[in-house]
Amino acid sequence: MEAKAGDITVPLAVLLKREMSNEKSEKPDLLHGQASQKKKGEDFTLLRAECERTQETGTTSFSVFGLFDGHNGSAAAIYTKEHLVNNVLNAIPPNVSRDEWISALPRALVAGFVKTDKDFTAQARSSGTTVTLVIIDGWVVTVASVGDSCCILESAEGSVYVLSADHRLEVNEEEVERVTASGGEVARINIAGGAAIGPLRCWPGGLCLSRSIGDLDVGEYIVPVPHVKQVKLSNAGGRLVIASDGVWDALSHEKALNCCRGLPAESAAARIVKEAVKVKGLRDDTTCIVVDILPPEKASPPVKKPGKGGIKYIFRRKSSETLSEEHIDRGCSEPDVVEEMFEDGSAMLSQRLSTDHTTSNIFEPYNCAVCQLEMKPGEGISVHSTAIKPISIRSPWDGPFLCVSCQEKKEAMEGKNSRNCRSRVPQEI
């Protein structure tokens, strides 16, 4: 078969080859490196630069980078590293288009985090872990986080964007309100004489965080529901820095970026860790991952131009109607525009698992939205169901749906389960 290009007849196979070559060249090159200095041996990383998935037109690739900062042992961090990504991917039906894959990721990340926590805590182990998981597909970066590790992006023009959330109770008033409303107690450690010392903690357990995976001994109001932010970079690229609190307790975002500017990813990660340890000493595991997202065939890290800078939390937002295949596949046409495609930090599963018109047809309507258990009509419970207004499966419009065990998990995280009603741990030392 042949096609005409102007006055020239070109074989269709040649045109297809050219088109595939153009699509390939539009994807950025990724260079990554990591470094760590260990104190307790509870930090773990995941670096997968080439992951494959099947879509309607064949196979395509994406990249995954993860940082797992464990506490009270390393079991939760190791388990999460080994199972989280598969749980996320299993929450997305196979053979969906790239548009659908990008749109489905936020809900799939929530499902994957909750399932990983549910499966780990079922083993009755009390270890816990923070998680910062980064998925890169073309110029689209999706970050899911629980805990106090942090992911930042420096664009090629030097603007700095925070892509994760800080779930330390000391700095997050909304999380303090959520934990107390769910049955937890938030307070500092009391010493003899009534003085309060240290950061805010959740009792029982004394954890400084409001979200993590694991931590069975603290209470299920310490939830695994991640903050998710999805952005699209310009085709000028940028640099991601993913680091544990051992880095951020010592260095500001700008200091971390400044100390490694111009260095390749591996050397940059090592420099950041070295500078953090120099400032505070090795008081905690100190781990850093650096990922450079570069225009094709550009082998050097992005160079910050003068006159830019500053931390940015506000992005240029695109409406869902503009998220066409072309919009997702190509970097922003305007230089140094980082566009926010999605953000949600709610801890409520009824909100996080709900679908809009862009994703409603992607997911299996009667599967459990968390563990993907196949259910028949009448076997599941609507994620919107409450004790006052129970909703069993009637039609897909009543969903998404949960199986019985995942519904129990949801109720426990919302403080509606008797297992959360534990005696308080004494806070006096």
Side-chain angles (χ1 to χ4, degrees), residues 97-224:
S97 69
R98 181 143 182 272
D99 282 23
E100 292 171 329
W101 153 260
I102 295 293
S103 298
L105 264 179
R107 170 173 151 171
L109 283 160
V110 172
F113 271 63
V114 175
K115 176 172 169 52
T116 302
D117 176 82
K118 179 172 173 276
D119 293 347
F120 176 74
T121 54
Q123 302 177 9
R125 291 189 283 180
S126 58
S127 171
T129 186
T130 74
V131 181
T132 303
L133 189 71
V134 180
I135 297 178
I136 304 173
D137 191 328
W139 299 98
V140 177
V141 178
T142 307
V143 180
S145 59
V146 294
D148 59 355
S149 296
C150 181
C151 174
I152 61 174
L153 163 69
E154 183 178 43
S155 69
E157 296 293 319
S159 297
V160 182
Y161 302 87
V162 180
L163 302 184
S164 56
D166 192 340
H167 293 126
R168 289 177 296 170
L169 292 164
E170 184 70 23
V171 300
N172 198 320
E173 293 183 5
E174 289 184 1
E175 286 295 277
V176 171
E177 293 175 1
R178 181 190 62 76
V179 169
T180 53
S182 298
E185 181 179 337
V186 177
R188 305 182 195 281
I189 295 176
N190 289 330
I191 61 174
I197 62 171
L200 287 175
R201 300 173 183 271
C202 180
W203 304 95
L207 189 66
C208 299
L209 306 172
S210 62
R211 302 196 195 189
S212 67
I213 286 180
D215 290 310
L216 179 65
D217 57 326
V218 180
E220 292 193 78
Y221 31 75
I222 303 300
V223 300

Side-chain angles (χ1 to χ4, degrees), residues 10 19 21 30 34 61 78 95 103 169 172 197 221-222 228 256-257 290 304 324 362 372 382 389 396 401 409:
V10 182
E19 183 65 23
S21 177
L30 299 184
Q34 68 167 329
S61 63
I78 294 173
N95 301 317
S103 298
L169 292 164
N172 198 320
I197 62 171
Y221 31 75
I222 303 300
V228 177
L257 291 166
V290 172
K304 178 179 177 180
S324 63
I362 299 176
Q372 312 312 312
S382 171
K389 184 182 178 182
F401 302 102
K409 176 72 175 177

Side-chain angles (χ1 to χ4, degrees), residues 227-261:
H227 172 275
V228 177
K229 185 185 285 287
Q230 188 175 75
V231 300
K232 182 166 69 68
L233 278 64
S234 76
N235 51 21
R239 165 169 281 182
L240 292 171
V241 176
I242 312 157
S244 64
D245 62 337
V247 167
W248 305 122
D249 286 346
L251 302 177
S252 68
H253 298 151
E254 290 176 327
K255 286 183 178 178
L257 291 166
N258 287 337
C259 78
C260 68
R261 183 157 291 110

